[in-house]
Amino acid sequence: MSLAYIAQEVAETKARGYGAIGYGLAAIGPGIGVGIVVGKAIEGMVRQPEMAGQVRTTMFLGIAFTEALALIGLVAGFIF
């Protein structure tokens, strides 16, 4: 085994770890976003209980779009 081969293997191993760190950082934003969406939806339901069904539907759409960001972060971690 040459020294260059060992150095290349070490560099690839370190690069794999950075992908996991990148995904962890990418998951922070959607986590905060989901918390804000749910919190505001609960506030809206408390203020106007008659609109709870419509607010709940909109909340689930917001959660779905916010979670899509986490999935994009996961895919980007695998690509890069």
Side-chain angles (χ1 to χ4, degrees):
M1 284 194 159
S2 68
L3 187 60
Y5 176 76
I6 294 172
Q8 181 182 3
E9 287 294 319
V10 169
E12 288 177 8
T13 303
K14 285 184 179 179
R16 288 185 201 130
Y18 292 140
I21 292 170
Y23 176 65
L25 293 174
I28 290 173
I32 292 170
V34 168
I36 291 171
V37 167
V38 172
K40 294 296 181 178
I42 290 172
E43 284 180 22
M45 288 182 212
V46 168
R47 291 179 187 217
Q48 291 185 332
E50 66 274 3
M51 295 296 292
Q54 187 174 1
V55 171
R56 188 176 301 117
T57 302
T58 306
M59 177 189 71
F60 286 132
L61 282 172
I63 289 172
F65 289 135
T66 307
E67 285 298 322
L69 293 173
L71 294 176
I72 291 170
L74 177 65
V75 171
F78 284 127
I79 291 174
F80 301 118

